[in-house]
């Protein structure tokens, strides 16, 4: 059971490989058919302490065996460290190990590691190779694909960043076994998103699953299907719109309000996937009230989100006006108007700037 | 007397306009035929205190009159402030003024302002517009063109950066009248470089000039010719090789040793253009000793550099071994080998990694 999804971008084509057990063979993947890196070239593995303890040695052994000169850089874990200051540590390691233009950074970790390593790679010597090896479900189906890299500004998520496509995304589903339950669910939120905006069949397959709230209840076949279909959805959209001028916007479904909630709770109380879950519930209800979506589909979305053990209401004591203010500093604002992605059917979504503050306020008050 | 040079890059075409007096008409340039920015959109003018005092109000008036919402961000002057920390100040201003994806940063200043503003624009919201309005000769003929942006790492120049093409480069030669003499000469160093690597006619025109060491001895016609031919040379090379994979390397003529000298003297004792002048003298002599160039041409280069009032020898007490060590951490290193650009005739240069440390050492010892 193995899928290789091509992302045929005109300038920066690459592949997403979903292959159980691939972590022990990363050296071959980087010198094989999918990607041909210069033998003897330098690789900097960037990771966090926990992930590196669990998988670092296996990755380094495989890369070393394939002939690479491997060094590593361990960063503190957590969204709160996704800052310019932490990226500076990657630059320091790049300098210390004298990375060259032909060198490669390998991001071994979740979205935070992937975003920062991608950004460091895009800006070191004005751009070197990066290979994404995501270790969380969220990173596998979202962050690792599409070339978005960046860090947070104290006042807003991902305000600083660059587009930098990976040379390869290597996904080993087996690493999910050690993923904390809450993080697994966070990833499922993005998978549900793909079901709503792009792939009705994926949505239905998830509806049919007995349980979705813990990995151990999801069989290997469904997991491979979830990963493959999610990566395909993201790759399709990104492929058609590399720089986020139009279509790619639909990937922000659930993210407009989601980011605000995440940000206002300091990225801790509510994690990214949980924010997206809450954001999808809100956006779904807005779509219904605007007459764009039917209540039945909206209820099916709600049920699936609940089945995944994800939150469907705002955290207690959340200040709704603070959410509205935060929306105004969101990247997705154009000429002062907040843009929303709204579903029109399960599997289809549109974007609009016609959502009023009153509408947002009214829906959030019910949550 | 006005030149508009198109830079027809496939994805990011833009123009370089060389127009005396254009600073007072920047608003029209940004909404005219050359570049059509959205009226009412936001513009952040980034500058340093001295330049802003001299030209800021004129620029802001013209932009405001054209309908833009204009704010400004003033940064400390000097290469030593070309750091991630200073770029952070631009991010803060961008956030405070809620710059959007349709907004534009205008870099009003020399290379330091241009590089940092370009980098901030390339990474804010993963990329917004930047217009370069260079106010030094060096920035006009080099830094403002080609999309290289970036900041320094404490241990090396421009190690952190991105490729981000400007939407327009607007050059007003009249601003050079207030440029300090030493900075004018620094710009002439790059112009001599274009003569050596690309444009023998430009070289000869400069040889024919009575004096080149101060702007007041250079007539308007020669100045326009110098600016136009230099920008054309850079644009031609960049056009053929946007991401510096091959041809563009020749623009680094004089820069390999030049950067090292600049860096080792803390970017103060020796400025960029002076470093390049010293680097060209060294590279020229290396080319002669390797049998690639004739001594007569090399002597003509030396005479022209002297005529421009530029240094042709290493500063007193310079540690040659430190230069060699610094070369090893240069961006232009590939697989541990330092790459050099060497002239083979006036108007033509090649790149090579065949220059030995002993050769470098021996030439530097004579300087």
């Amino acid at each position: 059971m193995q899928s290789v999804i091509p992302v045929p971008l005109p300038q920066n084509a690459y592949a997403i490989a979903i292959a159980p057990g691939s972590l022990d063979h990363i050296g071959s993947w980087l010198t094989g058919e999918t990607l041909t890196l210069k033998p003897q070239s330098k690789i900097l593995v960037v990771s966090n302490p926990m992930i590196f303890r669990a998988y670092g040695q296996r990755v380094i052994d495989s890369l070393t065996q394939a002939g690479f000169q491997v060094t590593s850089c361990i960063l503190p874990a957590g969204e709160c460290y996704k800052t310019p200051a932490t990226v500076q540590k990657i630059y320091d390691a790049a300098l210390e190990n004298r990375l060259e233009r032909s060198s490669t950074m390998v991001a071994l970790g979740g979205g935070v590691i992937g975003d920062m390593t991608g950004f460091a790679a895009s800006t070191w010597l004005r751009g070197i190779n990066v290979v994404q090896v995501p270790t969380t479900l969220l990173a596998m189906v979202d962050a690792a694909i599409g070339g978005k890299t960046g860090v947070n500004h104290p006042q807003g998520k991902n305000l600083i960043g660059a587009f930098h496509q990976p040379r390869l995304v290597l996904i080993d589903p087996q690493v999910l076994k050690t993923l904390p339950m809450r993080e697994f669910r966070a990833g499922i939120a993005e998978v549900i998103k793909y079901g709503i905006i792009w792939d009705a069949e994926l949505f239905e397959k998830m509806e049919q699953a007995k349980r979705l709230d813990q990995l151990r209840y999801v069989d290997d076949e469904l997991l491979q299907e979830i990963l493959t279909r999610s990566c395909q959805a993201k790759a399709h959209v990104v492929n058609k719109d590399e720089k986020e001028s139009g279509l790619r916007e639909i990937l922000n479904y659930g993210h407009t309000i989601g980011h605000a909630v995440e940000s206002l709770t300091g990225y801790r109380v509510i994690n990214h996937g949980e924010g997206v879950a809450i954001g999808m519930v809100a956006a779904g209800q807005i779509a219904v009230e605007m007459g764009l979506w039917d209540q039945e589909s909206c209820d099916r979305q709600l049920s699936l989100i609940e089945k995944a053990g994800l939150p469907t209401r705002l955290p207690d004591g959340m200040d709704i006006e603070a959410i509205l203010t935060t929306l105004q500093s969101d990247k997705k604002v154009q000429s002062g108007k907040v843009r929303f992605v709204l579903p029109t059917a399960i599997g289809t979504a549109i974007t609009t700037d016609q959502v009023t503050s009153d509408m947002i306020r009214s829906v959030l008050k019910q949550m």
Side-chain angles (χ1 to χ4, degrees), chain A:
Chain A
M1 205 160 47
Q2 174 176 314
S3 331
V4 176
I5 302 163
V7 186
L9 293 169
Q11 303 270 326
N12 313 296
Y14 65 95
I16 306 161
I18 303 162
S22 55
L23 221 58
D24 290 316
H25 306 287
I26 180 170
S28 324
W29 280 96
L30 265 57
T31 51
E33 285 167 33
T34 324
L35 174 62
T36 322
L37 293 183
K38 233 170 151 182
Q40 310 302 324
S41 69
K42 291 180 183 177
I43 290 185
L44 178 69
V45 177
V46 182
S47 195
N48 71 35
M50 206 180 65
I51 296 294
F52 193 76
R53 207 175 308 123
Y55 305 111
Q57 202 53 54
R58 283 162 60 188
V59 165
I60 287 176
D61 286 351
S62 175
L63 290 171
T64 308
Q65 215 178 337
F68 294 105
Q69 298 177 54
V70 192
T71 49
S72 58
C73 168
I74 310 303
L75 305 176
E79 181 81 35
C80 58
Y81 292 106
K82 200 174 115 176
T83 61
T86 312
V87 169
Q88 193 66 40
K89 289 184 202 295
I90 308 180
Y91 294 145
D92 292 343
L95 189 91
E96 195 185 328
N97 298 298
R98 302 195 179 286
L99 291 206
E100 301 168 1
R101 288 194 176 163
S102 60
S103 305
T104 303
M105 292 189 188
V106 168
L108 175 69
V112 171
I113 289 293
D115 282 4
M116 285 197 295
T117 309
F119 185 55
S122 85
T123 51
W124 185 251
L125 310 183
R126 299 199 186 89
I128 66 171
N129 300 324
V130 66
V131 168
Q132 296 285 353
V133 185
T135 58
T136 66
L137 180 54
L138 191 58
M140 288 173 183
V141 299
D142 184 19
I145 306 164
K148 276 193 182 184
T149 70
V151 295
N152 301 326
H153 186 278
Q155 290 175 61
K157 225 169 118 73
N158 293 324
L159 289 176
I160 301 157
F163 284 97
H164 189 59
Q165 299 298 339
R167 299 294 308 275
L168 172 73
V169 179
L170 187 60
I171 295 175
D172 183 347
Q174 290 177 356
V175 304
L176 295 178
K177 286 180 185 154
T178 56
L179 189 69
M181 195 170 68
R182 189 176 167 200
E183 289 197 48
F184 174 73
R185 292 174 182 173
I188 291 292
E190 294 283 350
V191 178
I192 294 173
K193 182 192 79 176
Y194 293 120
I196 296 286
I197 63 167
W198 194 259
D199 187 345
E201 211 175 314
L202 170 61
F203 189 90
E204 284 153 20
K205 278 179 195 282
M206 294 177 84
E207 277 185 317
Q208 286 151 22
K210 266 191 208 136
R211 288 180 66 169
L212 272 178
D213 55 328
Q214 291 185 46
L215 177 70
R216 58 185 167 133
Y217 300 119
V218 178
D219 63 41
D220 288 351
E221 204 180 325
L222 180 60
L223 180 61
Q224 185 79 13
E225 184 96 14
I226 279 174
L227 290 169
T228 305
R229 283 181 172 270
S230 297
C231 291
Q232 272 166 343
K234 175 120 191 202
H236 269 126
V237 173
V238 170
N239 190 12
K240 286 193 182 159
D241 179 18
E242 188 178 355
K243 294 280 174 78
E244 198 167 33
S245 43
L247 178 66
R248 188 163 172 161
E249 256 193 283
I250 65 166
L251 296 173
N252 289 324
Y253 178 54
H255 285 58
T256 311
I257 288 172
H259 273 167
V261 173
E262 223 190 321
S263 155
L264 287 168
T265 58
Y267 306 109
R268 284 178 177 275
V269 179
I270 294 291
N271 69 24
H272 180 71
E274 291 162 353
V276 171
I278 292 167
M280 289 193 292
V281 172
Q285 197 54 45
I286 289 170
V288 170
E289 308 221 345
M290 287 177 75
L292 294 165
W293 208 25
D294 60 295
Q295 188 67 53
E296 192 208 323
S297 298
C298 187
D299 291 345
R300 280 173 67 193
Q301 172 186 266
L302 188 70
S303 300
L304 190 57
I305 293 173
E306 278 172 350
K307 178 168 147 184
L310 286 160
T312 57
R313 311 187 75 85
L314 292 176
D316 288 342
M318 193 85 212
D319 178 355
I320 288 173
E321 291 311 312
I323 295 179
L324 285 156
T325 308
T326 306
L327 290 182
Q328 286 298 328
S329 68
D330 192 279
K331 280 199 309 296
K332 289 173 281 296
V333 170
Q334 278 180 9
S335 312
K337 286 187 174 171
V338 181
R339 291 184 69 78
F340 266 84
V341 181
L342 300 179
T344 55
I346 287 174
T348 313
I350 55 139
T351 56
T352 176
D353 60 4
Q354 297 299 306
V355 180
T356 63
S357 295
D358 284 345
M359 172 69 80
I360 302 170
R361 206 174 271 121
S362 132
V363 164
L364 290 179
K365 273 184 188 157
Q366 300 160 37
M367 294 178 57

